[in-house]
Amino acid sequence: MALITEVAFHAHMRKRKIRGYVFYALCLTAVALGLVMLAALLYNVLSEGLSRLSWDFITNFPSRFPERAGIHAAILGSIYVVSIAGLVAFSLGVGAAIYLEEYAQKGTFASFIQLNIANLAGVPSIVYGILGLEIFVRIMELGKSVIAGGLTLALLVLPIVIIASQEAIRAVPPSLKEGGFALGATKWQVVRRLVLPYAFPGILTGAILAVSRAVGETAPLIVMGALTFVPFAPDGPMSRFTVLPIQIFNWVSRPQEGFHVAAAAGIIVLLVVLLTMNAFAVFLRHKFQKGTQW
Amino acid sequence: MVTTEKNLIIETKNVSVFYGDTPAVSGISLGIEREKITALIGPSGCGKTTLLRSFNRMNDLIPIARTSGEILFEGHNIYAENVDPTEIRYRIGMVFQRPNPFPKSIYDNIAFGPRINGFSGNMDELVEKSLIGAALWDEVKDRLRTSGLELSGGQQQRLCIARTLAVEPTVILMDEPCSALDPIATLAIEELMRDLSKQYSIVIVTHNMQQAARVSDYTAFITQDERRIGELVEYDDTRQIFTNPTDERTEAYITGRFG
Amino acid sequence: MSQIDGGRIKFGSGSDGVSYMDQDKQVLGRFQRMFGLRWKRNLTEAFIKYGLFLCAILSIFTTAGIIAVLLFEAIQFFQEVSIFEFLGSTKWTPLFSSKHFGIWPLVTGTLLTSIGAMLVALPLGLLSAIYLSEYAPRRVRATLKPILEVLAGIPTVVYGYFALLFVTPILRSISDNIMVFNGLSAAIVMGIMILPMVSSLSEDAMQAVPRSLREGAYALGATQLEVATKIVVPAALSGIVAAFILSMSRAIGETMIVAIAAGQNPNFTFNPFVPIETMTAYIVQVSMGDTPTGTIEFKTIFTVGLSLFVMTLIMNLLSQYFVKRFREVYE
């Protein structure tokens, strides 16, 4: 006697087929919902804010009158803070990644550092704000300045840079390094002349992702003490400042409709900047992937 | 040639399998006899695994793969439009090159197939029967709840055979089932195959000619032509192929002059 | 090797007019130059190694700094407020004249929004992951993944705007019971925010399940649904669990959405329709005000920050434990 009768098998198969279609429809719906939300968000922001965008909006300082308010100070503040954060995180992060991948002995200490970095990547960003407030603003007496903000964000994005760089360095074929050592090069020469150029696209992609994370961060800078209303351009590393996301936050929190429109316009600027950076990262990765055929 | 005989379970007619536009095997026509062991041999990369996977429509899972020609299973073309590949795979089981037990208990590895296919009888009995059928019962009967991954390689492969037996297929396809195993485990699987051939039709792909000679009733020799497309060179009784091949390429291969 | 053809050094032969002594000097000079070079090289190498080591060790200092800062201020806080008050009271009013320091309203606010977010992100994220990993044709996948990455890269302040000015009005048009600031809107939008994270981490786990397992199941007559839900998902389970925990931890630490849309009222409630306050939103609230440093109000942000840090740390470690278990099976 057959294990499963023909009739039973086919009846069961019909049910399985239907279940399969239902499940497939569910999966498609889930994906579609995510896309619809993204579309709704973009549509909402564009329909609210696009008409508000103008050159004046970019060059004006904030104002009590929503129609005159602009993002000049916020844009400059973001550029200052993010440049500092990017430079510091990039140099320290790549250094740490080189150490962990090329120099550190595999063992308890290295895996402890590794675990620590993974955990740092998961620490809520607002906690970095508290750290920055205490260490940079109060103990190091940098004040609530551009440099303190930049260093705070640098610590925040450091794990991203380290992890991305480590992955890029790990992808370097061992044969390449062995070739270098066989020619009598020292470790550092191998790292600098062979490993880093090869890993560079990956490292750069990670760095751009880290910077775009820094561009969008709000909470740590609020906690660290960035201002919300800044009618002046930052004039140096010790200047007080605001950044674009904080400006948007400020406008969203106000009751007047006009400020909500300004917030939407600010969001458009922020998203354009971020999308450009992401596109650049994709472009770089693509270009270098083609170029680095060893 | 075997194709003249009547009792065929699978019959391929001018079968070609393409990856994209490139054919991997082309124009294969052969018949697989019921309750016998048929071996497909040939140099690596000749397309014998591709051909084997076309017998239960496993190639459907590769997006770029396409099959032309007809493969008759019990007289029906399995590539006809209204045929459900899932049902074909239920009737034509497969054992793979590397043992691939599911990361589940030994029991659940066996029970998976019957469960999804709607088996409503006594599962404990079926599991026991399948494990006995795969000559694994005595080794695992006290630890059916432990993970299938904890078994040795040879045991894992027998677990995969037991898993296949549990849905009682008509044909079992084996894709180099011993290539990842040591000689002792290989011997155990070969013995098992001889046993199984009393109830099941078995097609085995192997690059090990001694294995083909030891276990199979019929042997098909496949090789690549000058365009690197797999073609069927010779198909006959295993004894005939290994003692008195008609094609010089077969002779060259079995005497070890190439491949 | 005593003789190198065509080379300049030919031991035991003075035929090219150079005396043995000169040759010796030359050789010695070469060794000295090489030795000097190596010495300098070694020094540089050592400097570089320790420089790089400092970069790596900075991450430890960062963690230590976080713990030290939070503990230092929190200990001072607990010298003024008893831990029984902190863990026993259900009122959180440090900024009022009648002060209460019970953490629970902030904890329930945090749990309400983050569990709510997970209720949105978990099913949607898992289903999208299954779609991307098991169903989507390669080209669809190649298009969808970058779009999801865009969704993940949107700053949270933008999501806050979306919650307060788009989702909340829709919710309020459905039910009058929903207030302007509420946990529900924040939870939904936070769910959308972490959806890409749940989806892409779960998909990574599913992609790591070997193809051979899928083939094994198909060969037994399994349908695509059965392969996805009975083989791939169970096999990737610890990786998926890790993704969930990490996403939950992210939701707990998320700040701007809740600060903008959920309110600033530390209510001890699980009612999603009324204003609440999360731990993160409270820290923002205090930071935006002009609370003088050194006061007890100011110290609360460190205590709340410490609680937040401990919660997320535990979840991150848990997640890493699951990832490790997953890797042990498949690598």
Side-chain angles (χ1 to χ4, degrees), chain A residues 257-276:
Chain A
E257 177 70 24
F259 281 118
H260 295 168
V261 174
I267 288 173
I268 296 174
V269 175
L270 186 60
L271 291 182
V272 167
V273 170
L274 289 176
L275 278 179
T276 314

Side-chain angles (χ1 to χ4, degrees), chain C residues 257-301:
Chain C
I257 298 174
V258 285
I260 291 172
Q264 298 188 335
N265 309 50
N267 274 327
F268 183 61
T269 178
F270 277 109
N271 180 352
F273 296 165
V274 299
I276 48 152
E277 182 160 48
T278 66
M279 300 161 88
T280 51
Y282 173 75
I283 298 175
V284 167
Q285 187 193 357
V286 173
S287 306
M288 302 275 291
D290 42 14
T291 315
T293 55
T295 59
I296 186 77
E297 292 90 326
F298 184 73
K299 283 171 191 150
T300 54
I301 66 169

Side-chain angles (χ1 to χ4, degrees), chain A residues 12-13 16-17 19-20 23-24 26-31 33-35 37-38 40-42 44-45 48-49 91-96 98-100 103 105 109 112-113 115-128 130-131 133-135 138-139 155 158 162 184-189 212-213 215-219 222-224 228 245-246 248-250 252-253 260-261 263-264 267 270-271 274-275 278 285, chain C residues 41 44-45 48-49 52-63 65-67 69-70 72-73 123-125 127-132 135 137 144 147-151 153-162 164-167 188 192 195 220-223 225-226 228-230 246 249-250 252-256 259-260 279-281 283-284 287-288 293-294 298 301-302 304-306 308-309 312-313 316-317 320:
Chain A
H12 186 62
M13 184 58 102
R16 292 163 73 192
K17 284 274 151 71
R19 256 182 259 151
F23 184 75
Y24 182 65
L26 272 177
C27 287
L28 276 182
T29 317
V31 175
L33 263 174
L35 296 181
M37 285 298 174
L38 179 63
L41 192 156
L42 292 180
N44 184 239
V45 167
E48 288 283 318
S91 31
L92 293 178
V94 175
I98 295 172
Y99 180 79
L100 289 171
Y103 287 87
Q105 309 264 321
F109 184 65
F112 176 67
I113 296 186
L115 180 73
N116 181 52
I117 290 169
N119 276 318
L120 278 180
V123 170
S125 62
I126 198 164
V127 171
Y128 283 96
I130 297 178
L131 180 74
L133 172 66
E134 199 75 353
I135 302 284
R138 294 175 67 188
I139 296 177
L155 287 186
L158 193 56
I162 298 178
T186 63
K187 193 148 206 169
W188 176 241
Q189 286 168 330
S212 61
R213 169 90 190 271
V215 170
E217 277 299 338
T218 323
I222 292 177
V223 175
M224 180 239 115
T228 51
I246 294 184
I248 294 167
F249 172 53
N250 177 257
V252 173
S253 313
H260 295 168
V261 174
I267 288 173
L270 186 60
L271 291 182
L274 289 176
L275 278 179
N278 276 321
R285 190 165 41 183
Chain C
R41 262 180 161 189
T44 322
E45 288 285 312
I48 285 163
K49 186 174 171 182
L52 296 173
F53 175 73
L54 284 180
C55 293
I57 207 81
L58 180 71
S59 70
I60 307 254
F61 287 147
T62 308
T63 309
I66 290 173
I67 295 172
V69 163
L70 293 176
F72 179 74
E73 299 278 350
L124 291 184
L127 285 172
S128 330
I130 292 175
Y131 175 76
L132 286 173
Y135 286 90
L144 280 177
I147 296 180
L148 279 175
E149 274 171 36
V150 170
L151 206 55
I154 293 176
T156 56
V157 69
V158 178
Y159 282 108
Y161 167 95
F162 186 62
L164 183 67
L165 299 176
F166 184 79
V167 176
I188 293 173
I192 298 165
L195 191 156
L220 293 167
T223 61
L225 164 69
E226 286 151 358
T229 57
K230 296 188 172 152
L246 206 60
S249 154
R250 174 83 189 277
I252 288 175
E254 163 46 35
T255 309
M256 294 322 290
I260 291 172
M279 300 161 88
T280 51
I283 298 175
V284 167
S287 306
M288 302 275 291
T293 55
F298 184 73
I301 66 169
F302 294 90
V304 173
L306 181 64
L308 193 65
F309 178 74
T312 51
L313 180 69
N316 293 341
L317 289 173
Q320 274 158 29

Side-chain angles (χ1 to χ4, degrees), chain B residues 38-96:
Chain B
T38 307
L40 308 179
I41 61 168
S44 53
C46 72
K48 50 195 192 302
T49 292
T50 301
L51 178 65
L52 187 79
R53 289 167 61 96
S54 71
F55 290 176
N56 66 342
R57 295 192 59 170
M58 284 302 273
N59 287 333
D60 289 27
L61 301 173
I62 301 166
I64 56 164
R66 190 167 55 81
T67 310
S68 74
E70 282 187 359
I71 296 182
L72 304 182
F73 169 59
E74 297 189 317
H76 304 286
N77 181 12
I78 64 169
Y79 283 89
E81 219 157 84
N82 57 348
V83 174
D84 177 7
T86 308
E87 187 177 338
I88 296 302
R89 295 183 202 124
Y90 159 71
R91 297 181 195 284
I92 304 179
M94 189 166 205
V95 176
F96 297 83

Side-chain angles (χ1 to χ4, degrees), chain A residues 72-107:
Chain A
H72 187 61
I75 287 258
L76 287 177
S78 278
I79 292 174
Y80 274 66
V81 170
V82 170
S83 308
I84 293 173
L87 285 174
V88 173
F90 182 78
S91 31
L92 293 178
V94 175
I98 295 172
Y99 180 79
L100 289 171
E101 287 303 313
E102 300 294 334
Y103 287 87
Q105 309 264 321
K106 300 284 167 237

